[in-house]
Amino acid sequence: MGESGREEYKIQSFDAETQQLLKTALKDPGAVDLEKVANVIVDHSLQDRVFSKEAGRMCYAIIQVNNMPMMALVNPVYDCLFRLAQPDSLSKEEEVDCLVLQLHRVGEQLEKMNQQRMDELFVLIRDGFLLPSGLSSLAQLLLLEIIEFRAAGWKTTPAAHKYYYSEVPD
């Protein structure tokens, strides 16, 4: 099955209106509301793990002809990060690791696009760090490190690097 045939197959799982929206987004991203497209793809990905693998490919195909690819994804990315900053997620080390990793990768760009949401996210992270119980030592360390990373202008200071990574060989 060719590339367009595979895309067509994946789109068939949506209702007719959404199918048309996605087809148009793939052909002419400027003709649709990209935030709506991103929300549809993210929502469907959260419901269908099999689809989530292909969702990234669809998003990539859509953003290749758009001048500001990140703009349409800002709010859905923030929504995912907010979900990872909830107390039940912070109690799972792998979810804290995912949150911190993503903030290291795109935190600075996200903050430039919407500083208010980043401030709100870091209120949740700070509150999560201060949870009386339920956080592992590793989760606390990761949260503290990302709080300091942002406070230092999305850079690791030499002192922070020594503190957090002294046990890791260079």
Side-chain angles (χ1 to χ4, degrees), residues 73-90:
L73 299 175
V74 169
N75 286 323
V77 169
Y78 267 120
D79 292 344
C80 291
L81 295 174
F82 270 81
R83 179 63 192 103
L84 289 170
Q86 297 301 312
D88 63 319
S89 291
L90 294 177

Side-chain angles (χ1 to χ4, degrees), residues 131-158:
L131 283 174
S133 64
L135 257 77
S136 69
S137 297
L138 178 59
Q140 285 181 320
L141 183 74
L142 289 169
L143 293 176
L144 182 59
E145 189 270 338
I146 198 64
I147 290 168
E148 288 188 24
F149 186 69
R150 181 184 182 222
W154 298 102
K155 293 177 180 31
T156 302
T157 64

Side-chain angles (χ1 to χ4, degrees), residues 88-156:
D88 63 319
S89 291
L90 294 177
S91 66
K92 300 176 182 118
E93 285 182 359
E94 60 274 357
E95 293 189 26
V96 174
D97 188 45
C98 180
L99 171 66
V100 169
L101 179 63
Q102 296 314 312
L103 284 168
H104 272 283
R105 288 181 176 166
V106 297
E108 185 173 14
Q109 295 93 333
L110 284 172
E111 184 165 38
K112 288 176 183 173
M113 293 180 175
N114 191 333
Q115 184 173 352
Q116 180 181 346
R117 285 204 76 189
M118 187 61 73
D119 290 342
E120 294 168 3
L121 178 63
F122 270 80
V123 166
L124 283 176
I125 291 171
R126 180 207 60 211
D127 290 350
F129 174 76
L130 297 172
L131 283 174
S133 64
L135 257 77
S136 69
S137 297
L138 178 59
Q140 285 181 320
L141 183 74
L142 289 169
L143 293 176
L144 182 59
E145 189 270 338
I146 198 64
I147 290 168
E148 288 188 24
F149 186 69
R150 181 184 182 222
W154 298 102
K155 293 177 180 31
T156 302

